[in-house]
Amino acid sequence: MKKNMDINLFWHPCIRGYCNTKESIVLFSVLKKEGDSSDEILFYENSLISMAKDWEEIGDIKKFIPIGWLGYSGGYVLYEVSSHNIFLENMDVDGEVEDKPIANSLKELINNMNVNPNIREKEKNKCCL
């Protein structure tokens, strides 16, 4: 009997919550197939590598690196290499970022994200934390 690899998936740890934005932020969310290495997950469709390639087509990959996306609009969450600040993509101008960072570091972003276990219920009710 042929083993179906698509069934054997599990979530790589991710961080999901709200921080300085009305949309939920999703960081590091990756599906991993059983038997694949941790390096292989980086090359999956919609993973960090493919996200970086997509951003590179419209933005400056040397200045900003995508580290996640907004849960509703799909806009990028971007790490500025020089300052370590975290920005959101400017949804009105391709390849540009918002004027002000949402956090001064990845650590600050993660520490300030509200990851309340009831977040799914609040999203369903269209409530922002």
Side-chain angles (χ1 to χ4, degrees):
M1 183 175 180
K2 183 180 174 185
K3 186 176 179 181
N4 185 347
M5 291 300 287
D6 290 336
I7 292 173
N8 299 305
L9 298 174
F10 64 90
W11 282 104
H12 187 279
C14 74
I15 300 168
R16 185 167 188 255
Y18 290 87
C19 179
N20 300 330
T21 178
K22 291 184 180 183
E23 284 194 57
S24 69
I25 294 173
V26 181
L27 299 176
F28 318 122
S29 181
V30 180
L31 280 171
K32 181 178 176 187
K33 294 179 183 175
E34 188 176 77
D36 283 356
S37 72
S38 294
D39 289 340
E40 287 174 302
I41 64 174
L42 296 174
F43 294 96
Y44 288 168
E45 184 178 352
N46 299 320
S47 69
L48 294 177
I49 297 291
S50 68
M51 202 170 24
K53 286 180 180 177
D54 291 343
W55 170 254
E56 188 175 28
E57 291 180 15
I58 61 168
D60 186 350
I61 195 72
K62 292 181 181 175
K63 188 171 181 182
F64 294 99
I65 299 171
I67 59 169
W69 60 91
L70 295 172
Y72 177 73
S73 66
Y76 291 104
V77 177
L78 299 156
Y79 171 84
E80 186 176 38
V81 176
S82 62
S83 70
H84 310 289
N85 290 336
I86 309 298
F87 287 86
L88 297 178
E89 175 185 12
N90 182 333
M91 298 304 286
D92 296 325
V93 183
D94 284 346
E96 296 292 324
V97 300
E98 294 289 338
D99 294 333
K100 294 182 180 180
I102 59 169
N104 294 317
S105 67
L106 183 58
K107 181 179 179 179
E108 179 184 304
L109 175 69
I110 292 169
N111 285 338
N112 290 330
M113 285 178 75
N114 188 331
V115 289
N116 184 321
N118 298 322
I119 197 167
R120 293 198 198 306
E121 188 63 31
K122 290 179 189 265
E123 284 179 337
K124 189 166 67 175
N125 294 328
K126 298 183 178 162
C127 226
C128 181
L129 301 176

